[in-house]
Amino acid sequence: MWKVTRKGLAAHKLRFVLTALAVVLGVSFICGTLVLTATIQKTFDDLFADINRGTDAAVRSANVIKGDFGNDQRANVPASLVTEVLKTPTVEAAVGNIQPYAQAVDKNGKAIGGNGPPTFGLGWDPNPKLNQFHLVVGRPPQADDEIVVDKGTADKGHFTVGDEVTILTTKVPKKYKLVGIAKFGTVDSLAGASIVLFTPHEVQRIAGVNNEFSQISVVAKPGVSQTQVAEDIRKTLVADGQTQYQVITGKALTKENQDAVHKALGFISTALLVFAFVALIVGMFIIYNTFSIVVAQRMREMALLRAIGASKRQVLGSVIGEAVVVGVLASAIGVAAGIGLSIGLKAVMNAVGFQIPGSGVVLRPNAVIIGLLVGTIVTIISAVVPARQAARVPPIAAMRAVALERPINRFRRLAIGGVILALGLLTLFLGLFGSSGISFVGLGALLMLVGVFVVSPLFARQLARVIGVPLTKFRGIVGSLSRENAARNPRRTATTGAAVMIAVSLVGFITIFAASANASIGSAIDQQLKTDYIVTLKGGGGPGGGGLSPELAKKISGLPQVAASTPIRLGAAEIGGSKTFLAAADPEAIPQLYDFNGVAGSIANLAPNEIAISTRKASSKHLKLDDVVSARFVQTGLVPLQVGFIYRNNTLAGDYIISLASFERNFPPQDQLDTQIFVKLKPGVSPVQGRAAIEPLVAQYPNSALKDNAQYKADQKKQVNQVLVLVYVLLFLAVIIAFIGIVNTMTLSIYERTQEIGLLRAVGSSRRQVRSMVRWEAAIIALFGTLLGIAMALFFGWAVVRALHDQGFTKFSAAPFSLVFIVVITGLATLVWASLPARRASRLDVLKAIDQN
Amino acid sequence: MTTTIPPTTTLAARAVGASKIYGTGDTAVRALDAINVEFPRAQYTAIMGPSGSGKSTLLHCLAGLDTLTSGHVYLGDIDLSTLSDKEVTRIRRDRVGFVFQTFNLLPTLTAIENITLPLALAGHKPDQAWLDRIIDTVSLRDRLEHRPSELSGGQQQRVAVARALVTKPEIIFADEPTGNLDSRSSAEILGFLQRAVEEFGQTIVMVTHDPISASYSNRVVFLADGHIVDELLDPTADAVLGKMRNLGGE
Ligand SMILES: Nc1ncnc2c1ncn2[C@@H]1O[C@H](COP(=O)(O)OP(=O)(O)OP(=O)(O)O)[C@@H](O)[C@H]1O
Ligand SMILES: [Mg+2]
């Protein structure tokens, strides 16, 4: 039977190449993701090992609020702790450090970085064991107005030693003299971060602290192990009753840093893998379809095999065998392509400034194994149903022209499809409205799509005919032929359409979701913001923090043209035991700037020991006015806060608000950075006069931008759309695979209809007409899938937006223009893309086609 | 209303020194060997000969479905060997009709759509009176909305004949049009073809293996090994059988 398998593959090469392409693309995506993640992970593992190389132990506050991506927040420790630690006999050196926000401004007045890797300042550490920076030119900073920057930053800003460089901090921007340029270890910059090195004294000033550090790094005496020195320090501290601190070894610190990166990378790679699996699932439909068609075309051959004595098992085996060969080959190519892809992506990342040192990529066996397994298994699963169909063919079919196409069992399809659909709906709603989470949403959506696919052959003929109606009007006989061809094989049309449906439903969903987000934010800005101007942070602040110096807000509120203004500050805290973000504003000013739609209490006299909460949180946490919630902040630990105000509008404001005074008390000084400043002008001050007054202040802070409400709205929209574009890019592969499916189906159909096409040509249809017939049939099938996809997208979009209503998604937007655009684009793309099989069809040898005897 | 095809020249088609060689070198097959043959208008010609003698090849070349290796074929005054694929396609559509042995119809189209297919491809409206006449001639009136799968073999061939007639072509080529039919259906189809010649002045060239089929024609041309070897006017089945025995055929 192996011979039959091999011959089967050889005879249908093109078809299997197209099938394999779907697997290759999906597998390369998976493998590329795994390899790239491993490579980045290795980079960071090495990096942290480098950073902490000289550190034998670290002492820091035990009061921590864990960040999702390792950006833990901790309380500062007093400088006196250094003296305390130094008491330990096994400690050779102990140096405190703190990393406040600091951002260099280039010669054109533009802030460097700020929209990705962090920008921060460090004290120049005289201890060579703890300082990983190596000067390439110049000398260390010795006076408080001297700095050193990393080489990456110097290159970006075209700085040379001796230049005057303005640095933005939590304080007023200040000019420094650049006295040196340093490399971090062997690289120009620490993974793209922009770092300014000050004197230890100056760092204290820009952090706004007075003899405080975020961490103390310790070097042990020679011959003392890390565990030993950590244990000794712990003892010293306990002896002095200082139990609020935590001592960990350098190794543990490195591991902690590495784990944090692994977690963040895990998040990214999971997200990428989800898209890779979407692509593979779309691919499964293509594989299933190809095998179904090929098997159907070879039914007589299968029957002959059965007639001459092959068992059902052997026939089944020969088809599965083909699937295994295709799966393994395609997966192997996919793995190789994936490795190539990751090398390319790495080069791109290096080019955009995210430096990954080393020339190669990290290839772990799991990337290869997972790629091979997933690709092969997916192919085999997709071929099981067609293989069973092949095995079921009666031997008599070889002799007689029995109907080989099984009739569609309407009842069974409806029942099975209905059950899957209902199950999907249930799962989706559990995920959306219950506590089951996002994976249930995904699973539910997938089940629903499969359910629709199972049912769709029942109406594929009718729907294809409806879609084709305009064609019969405008394209005459060619249109009728396309329409009938698209309708003649409902299973094939449904399966090919299903691949398109899945891709389009996701594209459509994300489009609707983004449009709804934009509509919700837009309407909130229009209806709730009472500002004239908003000062925003350029680049949105990277994960490494960054923000506006509070000095700017102070200056703006002092302007005679300004009636009211407040900075907005964001921070993480635990409220009622769960980690959350809260915003801070000036309670006196904010009522004039924002319409909260309050239901109880008042924001205007929100005291530092009070908190404002949204009605959503009030109802979920069963809180009323004057109830006390327990909050935990890094700087101050557990703090009881009384509910002083309850409000409805949370789209822009979020769920928790405290006063600025409270924020200043509960968060470390170096975290006192604003994300926005709301401004309202005095009556009688025109917007132009207002802008003229504020603009010069904003100009002094190149990381800030002045926006009126319309510009602010446009900004927000732009941010949403950036995410949208990213998701489009990631979904693109699934779309491509769905399109490959259309070409595949058309190629197979043409092969099957060789005689028909020959006949058409014989009775006088031009090549052009044959081409157009094939293209329009493809377009009908594509539109069939697209329309189903759009219908599903509308449903998913509506359900998700509905579920997120309480979280500020107050508006549902069906994005009609975008959806129509998607339909038109898929139609046009198919017409173009289908010219490949169309050409093939028009080139068929008429004589061969009609030669039947 | 025209019911006959106006003659421009007296010949509907002819082949002059027509040769067709398949393959090269040792494996070359001379399917047609410098054939000269003429097909006058309003005549029903049958082509006969043993299997592999080049009948189909001749028909295909005459119809512009295949090209000659050397020599010329003319449809009316037009030398097909000088035309592009596009022009030949147009000629097939507008001036030639076909009936094949099997697979004459598109399964997705109804009988009437199949009949009018060449007109639809050209974007022409059918001449309703002519259409009615053809449909009545082949007695298909009550089957027009059926698809081929719902028609018997004989009915399918009748649809094919009607389609061949619908454009009032200068010539109809038929390659064993009754090869797959029982004798009653065969007789029907051959009768229709004969009526087309007699009533509409249609020109027909038909390949057949069957002496009875050939007896419906005005003239039989015998082919062997790519040569025209004999000819018989106003044939009867017995006369054809006699000639074929002489040729050592089937
Ligand atoms: N495409 C081809 N390639 C090579 N040889 C061919 C090709 N088509 C036909 N032939 C050869 O040309 C010769 C004539 O073939 P043709 O089909 O015209 O015969 P025929 O008279 O129609 O036979 P039949 O009665 O069996 O239909 C045969 O020897 C055949 O093998
Ligand atoms: Mg023949």
Side-chain angles (χ1 to χ4, degrees):
Chain A
M1 287 311 278
W2 168 240
K3 199 165 169 192
V4 176
T5 301
R6 230 177 45 216
K7 289 266 159 70
L9 285 170
H12 305 273
K13 252 179 276 153
L14 179 74
R15 284 170 258 177
F16 286 112
V17 164
L18 288 167
T19 310
L21 201 54
V23 183
V24 168
L25 291 176
V27 169
S28 67
F29 197 163
I30 290 180
C31 186
T33 302
L34 292 174
V35 172
L36 189 68
T37 320
T39 306
I40 298 176
Q41 189 165 312
K42 171 93 174 25
T43 305
F44 277 96
D45 285 356
D46 294 351
L47 199 75
F48 284 116
D50 270 1
I51 293 177
N52 299 321
R53 175 163 295 146
T55 308
D56 291 318
V59 185
R60 60 193 188 185
S61 166
N63 195 13
V64 61
I65 298 220
K66 289 259 176 213
D68 284 334
F69 306 112
N71 46 341
D72 295 353
Q73 290 189 31
R74 281 177 198 275
N76 291 339
V77 298
S80 58
L81 190 62
V82 177
T83 336
E84 188 75 28
V85 168
L86 281 171
K87 279 191 202 160
T88 315
T90 46
V91 169
E92 174 164 309
V95 178
N97 223 325
I98 190 165
Q99 304 181 0
Y101 162 67
Q103 189 172 12
V105 179
D106 72 13
K107 288 173 182 162
N108 302 321
K110 274 184 63 185
I112 294 172
N115 50 0
T119 58
F120 60 89
L122 273 177
W124 179 268
D125 200 328
N127 187 327
K129 270 198 148 169
L130 293 172
N131 188 347
Q132 304 304 322
F133 283 96
H134 308 287
L135 284 166
V136 282
V137 331
R139 57 168 177 83
Q142 282 154 4
D144 286 350
D145 61 350
E146 293 179 346
I147 53 165
V148 166
V149 297
D150 67 281
K151 186 154 185 312
T153 306
D155 290 347
K156 270 184 222 151
H158 304 289
F159 298 137
T160 47
V161 170
D163 282 354
E164 266 205 336
V165 180
T166 303
I167 305 291
L168 304 172
T169 62
T170 62
K171 303 293 172 196
V172 181
K174 181 176 156 184
K175 284 198 165 76
Y176 293 84
K177 193 168 162 230
L178 186 67
V179 294
I181 293 170
K183 275 195 171 190
F184 180 86
T186 55
V187 294
D188 289 353
S189 99
L190 198 165
S194 177
I195 301 172
V196 184
L197 296 141
F198 301 89
T199 60
H201 179 258
E202 179 67 2
V203 167
Q204 291 283 309
R205 188 190 72 84
I206 63 167
V209 294
N210 187 9
N211 285 325
E212 281 179 20
F213 298 120
S214 49
Q215 177 182 301
I216 295 167
S217 306
V218 175
V219 182
K221 287 243 167 73
V224 180
S225 75
Q226 291 198 349
T227 338
Q228 186 62 52
V229 75
E231 191 50 41
D232 290 351
I233 297 168
R234 226 170 270 139
K235 278 189 195 132
T236 315
L237 295 181
V238 170
D240 288 354
Q242 310 264 38
T243 52
Q244 69 273 47
Y245 303 117
Q246 192 185 45
V247 186
I248 60 168
T249 63
K251 280 211 185 74
L253 183 66
T254 302
K255 173 108 179 24
E256 199 182 283
N257 292 156
Q258 290 172 343
D259 287 348
V261 171
H262 296 184
K263 202 170 151 194
L265 279 175
F267 184 79
I268 296 170
S269 86
T270 306
L272 288 175
L273 286 177
V274 164
F275 285 99
F277 275 102
V278 166
L280 265 184
I281 285 170
V282 173
M284 282 180 82
F285 283 85
I286 311 304
I287 300 163
Y288 165 78
N289 203 27
T290 309
F291 273 91
S292 294
I293 300 174
V294 170
V295 160
Q297 289 173 356
R298 287 165 58 198
M299 275 304 182
R300 235 165 271 286
E301 183 189 322
M302 302 292 172
L304 188 66
L305 281 173
R306 293 276 284 120
I308 60 172
S311 68
K312 276 192 181 188
R313 274 184 79 97
Q314 283 173 315
V315 171
L316 189 81
S318 84
V319 178
I320 296 282
E322 289 181 11
V324 173
V325 173
V326 171
V328 170
L329 277 179
S331 305
I333 299 172
V335 166
I339 296 168
L341 186 74
S342 59
I343 293 172
L345 278 177
K346 187 185 155 186
V348 170
M349 290 177 80
N350 273 335
V352 299
F354 185 94
Q355 297 223 351
I356 309 174
S359 58
V361 290
V362 178
L363 182 59
R364 299 232 173 89
N366 75 348
V368 176
I369 294 168
I370 291 175
L372 284 176
L373 273 184
V374 169
T376 309
I377 290 173
V378 156
T379 312
I380 294 172
I381 290 176
S382 314
V384 163
V385 173
R388 285 185 31 177
Q389 266 171 36
R392 243 188 267 136
V393 66
I396 189 73
M399 269 64 85
R400 251 196 283 142
V402 294
L404 289 173
E405 186 87 358
R406 286 172 309 121
I408 292 175
N409 186 334
R410 301 190 81 85
F411 177 75
R412 230 182 70 169
R413 254 185 202 278
L414 211 56
I416 295 175
V419 167
I420 298 176
L421 206 55
L423 218 65
L425 197 65
L426 187 74
T427 317
L428 182 78
F429 277 59
L430 278 179
L432 284 177
F433 299 102
S435 52
S436 311
I438 185 88
S439 51
F440 267 60
V441 176
L443 184 68
L446 179 64
L447 281 174
M448 287 188 70
L449 289 167
V450 171
V452 171
F453 157 66
V454 172
V455 179
S456 62
L458 296 180
F459 58 80
R461 174 167 289 150
Q462 290 76 1
L463 187 51
R465 286 221 174 100
V466 171
I467 295 169
V469 165
L471 273 186
T472 60
K473 299 267 184 304
F474 300 115
R475 291 273 149 183
I477 184 72
V478 170
S480 307
L481 286 170
S482 308
R483 177 174 171 232
E484 286 312 311
N485 281 339
R488 76 200 279 185
N489 203 324
R491 270 203 208 109
R492 193 176 296 182
T493 300
T495 313
T496 313
V500 178
M501 167 179 77
I502 294 179
V504 168
S505 72
L506 295 175
V507 172
F509 163 71
I510 197 69
T511 307
I512 292 170
F513 186 74
S516 300
N518 278 331
S520 305
I521 295 169
S523 103
I525 290 173
D526 289 343
Q527 288 163 23
Q528 297 162 20
L529 264 189
K530 299 194 276 183
T531 54
D532 292 307
Y533 283 108
I534 296 160
V535 179
T536 62
L537 181 60
K538 269 187 198 157
L548 305 171
S549 162
E551 299 298 329
L552 178 58
K554 269 186 214 148
K555 287 230 180 79
I556 289 174
S557 75
L559 286 173
Q561 292 87 344
V562 168
S565 84
T566 177
I568 307 293
R569 229 163 268 178
L570 297 177
E574 272 177 22
I575 292 181
S578 53
K579 198 196 137 193
T580 184
F581 286 93
L582 42 73
D586 175 2
E588 263 174 60
I590 195 79
Q592 297 178 62
L593 298 159
Y594 186 74
D595 177 9
F596 282 96
N597 195 2
V599 293
S602 135
I603 183 108
N605 26 30
L606 197 73
N609 65 344
E610 287 184 323
I611 186 166
I613 63 173
S614 67
T615 45
R616 167 174 174 248
K617 286 293 173 189
S619 73
S620 75
K621 296 206 179 253
H622 308 291
L623 291 170
K624 312 183 298 298
L625 201 65
D626 295 338
D627 281 355
V628 173
V629 290
S630 154
R632 194 167 73 81
F633 298 100
V634 279
Q635 191 75 347
T636 45
L638 282 175
V639 177
L641 293 175
Q642 200 173 20
V643 175
F645 179 56
I646 301 177
Y647 58 92
R648 273 208 192 86
N649 291 345
N650 65 346
T651 307
L652 300 177
D655 290 319
Y656 298 104
I657 296 166
I658 57 174
S659 68
L660 272 185
S662 176
F663 196 95
E664 276 160 13
R665 184 187 296 172
N666 291 310
F667 287 85
Q670 68 269 30
D671 290 349
Q672 304 294 331
L673 286 163
D674 302 332
T675 57
Q676 291 169 347
I677 303 167
F678 287 177
V679 184
K680 181 154 191 71
L681 301 174
K682 284 204 174 118
V685 179
S686 76
V688 179
Q689 290 167 329
R691 187 176 272 276
I694 304 166
E695 198 79 75
L697 297 178
V698 167
Q700 293 171 27
Y701 294 80
N703 60 340
S704 67
L706 182 62
K707 312 269 165 154
D708 60 28
N709 287 13
Q711 289 168 325
Y712 181 67
K713 195 159 107 179
D715 266 14
Q716 302 294 311
K717 204 170 167 172
K718 205 168 121 194
Q719 282 180 26
V720 171
N721 289 346
Q722 271 170 0
V723 178
L724 181 66
V725 167
L726 183 68
V727 178
Y728 279 163
V729 168
L730 291 171
L731 281 176
F732 192 61
L733 190 63
V735 175
I736 292 280
I737 293 180
F739 271 83
I740 290 176
I742 296 175
V743 167
N744 208 352
T745 299
M746 293 313 301
T747 309
L748 292 165
S749 296
I750 289 163
Y751 170 83
E752 200 169 278
R753 299 177 197 150
T754 306
Q755 283 197 332
E756 275 171 51
I757 294 164
L759 180 67
L760 265 171
R761 293 275 289 128
V763 301
S765 88
S766 61
R767 286 180 201 263
R768 210 191 145 98
Q769 283 173 320
V770 170
R771 274 204 299 271
S772 146
M773 179 182 80
V774 173
R775 290 222 301 260
W776 284 111
E777 179 187 348
I780 292 176
I781 296 175
L783 283 182
F784 172 85
T786 307
L787 290 183
L788 289 184
I790 297 267
M792 296 308 282
L794 280 168
F795 174 75
F796 293 151
W798 171 82
V800 169
V801 169
R802 189 78 205 81
L804 294 177
H805 185 271
D806 283 353
Q807 291 174 43
F809 272 78
T810 50
K811 294 269 182 294
F812 171 75
S813 166
F817 290 113
S818 305
L819 294 190
V820 169
F821 184 70
I822 290 173
V823 174
V824 173
I825 281 290
T826 17
L828 290 180
T830 314
L831 284 181
V832 175
W833 183 223
S835 28
L836 296 166
R839 263 175 91 85
R840 232 176 119 83
S842 74
R843 294 274 162 92
L844 276 181
D845 184 345
V846 183
L847 272 186
K848 258 201 196 125
I850 60 168
D851 184 16
Q852 45 218 304
N853 309 323
Chain B
M1 191 180 78
T2 44
T3 53
T4 55
I5 292 128
T8 48
T9 60
T10 51
L11 290 181
R14 68 195 154 105
V16 180
S19 292
K20 176 78 184 178
I21 301 167
Y22 288 112
T24 49
D26 290 346
T27 57
V29 176
R30 197 170 276 272
L32 299 176
D33 195 359
I35 280 186
N36 294 308
V37 62
E38 299 184 335
F39 300 97
R41 273 181 203 284
Q43 228 193 39
Y44 189 168
T45 309
I47 301 178
M48 297 196 73
S51 188
S53 56
K55 305 183 293 292
S56 296
T57 308
L58 177 61
L59 208 68
H60 292 157
C61 291
L62 284 167
L65 288 169
D66 202 354
T67 50
L68 290 171
T69 310
S70 65
H72 299 269
V73 288
Y74 295 88
L75 264 186
D77 293 331
I78 305 162
D79 184 350
L80 287 187
S81 42
T82 62
L83 301 182
S84 70
D85 175 80
K86 218 174 183 162
E87 290 163 323
V88 173
T89 301
R90 276 191 75 137
I91 286 180
R92 278 206 304 271
R93 189 182 72 196
D94 300 335
R95 303 168 72 163
V96 175
F98 283 104
V99 184
F100 301 109
Q101 181 175 350
T102 55
F103 207 84
N104 267 299
L105 309 178
L106 289 186
T108 50
L109 299 184
T110 61
I112 183 70
E113 285 168 339
N114 264 297
I115 293 172
T116 54
L117 181 61
L119 295 172
L121 285 170
H124 297 326
K125 282 250 169 314
D127 171 347
Q128 196 55 48
W130 178 239
L131 192 57
D132 282 340
R133 197 161 163 197
I134 300 171
I135 290 166
D136 290 334
T137 308
V138 297
S139 334
L140 275 171
R141 177 84 40 211
D142 55 343
R143 288 281 184 277
L144 290 181
E145 294 308 324
H146 288 61
R147 291 189 194 251
S149 57
E150 299 155 351
L151 298 174
S152 72
Q155 287 167 338
Q156 290 183 25
Q157 288 308 79
R158 280 192 259 157
V159 175
V161 170
R163 187 201 50 218
L165 287 166
V166 79
T167 54
K168 300 180 197 165
E170 282 168 36
I171 191 161
I172 291 176
F173 294 106
D175 196 346
E176 304 185 44
T178 59
N180 264 11
L181 300 181
D182 61 36
S183 53
R184 226 193 73 190
S185 307
S186 290
E188 265 174 23
I189 296 291
L190 294 163
F192 296 139
L193 292 175
Q194 200 174 34
R195 277 179 68 190
V197 177
E198 285 164 6
E199 293 178 21
F200 317 143
Q202 184 64 61
T203 313
I204 294 177
V205 178
M206 174 180 80
V207 168
T208 182
H209 278 111
D210 172 27
I212 300 176
S213 302
S215 69
Y216 283 78
S217 69
N218 307 126
R219 165 189 175 222
V220 182
V221 174
F222 293 93
L223 224 62
D225 292 333
H227 297 275
I228 307 259
V229 289
D230 208 344
E231 203 178 297
L232 188 67
L233 289 176
D234 298 322
T236 61
D238 286 340
V240 173
L241 209 55
K243 284 271 185 207
M244 280 171 64
R245 285 219 185 83
N246 289 348
L247 289 173
E250 47 239 89

